[in-house]
Amino acid sequence: MSSPYIGEIRLFGFSRTPQGWQPCDGSILPISNYDTLFSLIGTTYGGDGQNTFAVPDLRGQVPLHQGQGQGLTMRTIGERAGAENVTLLPAQMPAHVHSLSATTLAANATAPSGTVELGSVSGDTLYATDLGVGTVGTSVASTTPAGGTQPHDNLMPTLTVQFCIALEGIYPQQN
């Protein structure tokens, strides 16, 4: 493996931290021991900037490139965004209607199913088998937004590996 740039972040498929690397776990490090790395990342990820600084915490995070692409939101290095769980509110649900199908023909079935619709009551029957006569939007009093504003999982499929940042190596020169 070639010498990394100090501050370079790599993925490792094993749980041990290689010599000269630090897990990207948000650790607070003393500037006096890692002044070269501090000169590159400063307090972007935390620390007091006098005695300590932090490495990035990539646990449970998806890395995102800094800057702004066409049609995308501007992102600053070290910025956090997103959430593992999201609570959708009724105002965030896509607009839609709940229609009701019914007919004026006499009902000839006694139980609901995917092949009947409401018909004119005829004795003990309530459903007719002539699907598709017409649909009407239901009253908002009978169909209201549902969901209970409970959070749901918002995590994309993932594979856990280890992110580490190089403490030693080549100092990256500026252009």
Side-chain angles (χ1 to χ4, degrees):
M1 179 186 308
S2 64
S3 293
Y5 287 108
I6 298 169
E8 177 181 341
I9 295 174
R10 287 190 187 173
L11 296 172
F12 293 94
F14 47 86
S15 61
R16 294 185 307 275
T17 304
Q19 185 174 352
W21 293 80
Q22 169 71 36
C24 289
D25 60 2
S27 293
I28 303 291
L29 303 177
I31 294 171
S32 59
N33 291 3
Y34 305 100
D35 57 336
T36 307
L37 180 58
F38 174 73
S39 74
L40 293 167
I41 66 174
T43 58
T44 301
Y45 307 103
D48 64 15
Q50 301 298 312
N51 299 303
T52 63
F53 72 105
V55 295
D57 189 352
L58 287 169
R59 298 171 297 175
Q61 304 292 314
V62 175
L64 184 67
H65 188 71
Q66 70 173 348
Q68 181 176 11
Q70 185 175 356
L72 300 175
T73 305
M74 178 65 177
R75 300 293 178 180
T76 305
I77 196 161
E79 178 182 353
R80 292 181 173 272
E84 283 189 34
N85 292 293
V86 174
T87 301
L88 288 179
L89 302 174
Q92 295 168 308
M93 292 182 192
H96 65 285
V97 296
H98 294 264
S99 3
L100 172 67
S101 297
T103 182
T104 57
L105 297 176
N108 57 9
T110 58
S113 76
T115 59
V116 298
E117 64 189 353
L118 288 173
S120 295
V121 176
S122 176
D124 288 340
T125 59
L126 183 60
Y127 304 97
T129 56
D130 71 320
L131 292 176
V133 172
T135 60
V136 177
T138 58
S139 163
V140 291
S142 65
T143 54
T144 57
T149 60
Q150 297 298 312
H152 71 276
D153 185 27
N154 195 40
L155 187 62
M156 69 174 103
T158 59
L159 174 67
T160 303
V161 293
Q162 178 178 214
F163 285 93
C164 291
I165 189 167
L167 300 171
E168 302 169 0
I170 302 166
Y171 189 85
Q173 299 300 315
Q174 294 183 0
N175 290 342

